[in-house]
Each structure stands twice: as structure tokens, then as C-alpha cells.
Amino acid sequence: MEGRKRLTATWGVREHVELHGNELARGRGAYCESEEQERIFKNRAVRLGAYDLMLAALAGCGALSATTVCCATAHMPTAYARFVEHLERWAADVDTHVLVVPRLSGCG
């Protein structure tokens, strides 16, 4: 909740709006209380900052792990599908859940 509170305090992101990582980072969707806040929030660097803030807040949760994965391939949908399948098998093996959130601001 701290990451979400910081989004509201910093950029006026509505408290109860549903956030989708891909839409947030790519500049899709409207999230802010006012048109002026939304105009500022449409800036790609601002959106990526908000996205990174949310990932950092999630990574700070007790039993949560955040991982960045990079893959050099000509066909990303195949690599992505295989990686998600791997994660789902891992989660089932250790009796946990997995949430995949793409990091759109680059690898590393």
C-alpha cells in the first residue's frame, strides 16, 4: 500500500483506480484526479518512474520476490510463453503463486 500511497501523493493517481503494469508503463489509460495531473503523468519518464516505484514497493513486501529476466531471441512471444510456463511449474512445485509484471524500462 505504501507504493500506491506514494503514487497518489506524487502524481494524483486515484486511490482506487486499477493499475495495469503494461498500460501504465506504455502510457495507456487515465489514472489521475485532475486533467493537469494527467497531462504531467502522460510523460513517458514519469510513467516509467511510477512503474518502477510500484515494482520497488512490491519487492519490499515480505514474502515477495522481484526478478528481471532478459532474453535475446527473435521471437519474444515464444520466449515469454516458455518462461511463464516455467514459472507456473515452479509455483506449483513450491505451493505458491506467481505474478508476472513486465519491466518495460529496460533490462538490468
Side-chain angles (χ1 to χ4, degrees):
M1 291 302 295
E2 290 305 312
R4 189 57 185 257
K5 288 178 185 176
R6 286 184 57 201
L7 286 179
T8 299
T10 305
W11 293 292
V13 172
R14 294 185 313 268
E15 188 174 332
H16 298 290
V17 69
E18 187 173 343
L19 295 174
H20 294 272
N22 193 33
E23 291 178 3
L24 177 65
R26 293 193 184 269
R28 300 178 187 140
Y31 297 97
C32 298
E33 294 287 345
S34 73
E35 288 182 22
E36 176 63 19
Q37 290 168 323
E38 192 64 43
R39 185 187 62 74
I40 293 167
F41 200 63
K42 283 287 185 187
N43 177 282
R44 181 165 171 74
V46 170
R47 287 269 183 132
L48 290 176
Y51 186 84
D52 285 345
L53 184 149
M54 289 301 297
L55 286 180
L58 285 172
C61 295
L64 184 77
S65 297
T67 303
T68 300
V69 177
C70 294
C71 181
T73 182
H75 196 253
M76 275 311 273
T78 300
Y80 181 80
R82 288 181 182 159
F83 180 67
V84 170
E85 289 169 4
H86 168 78
L87 286 176
E88 289 173 344
R89 283 192 306 273
W90 168 82
D93 288 347
V94 297
D95 192 31
T96 192
H97 302 278
V98 64
L99 172 67
V100 177
V101 182
R103 180 169 164 77
L104 301 175
S105 57
C107 295

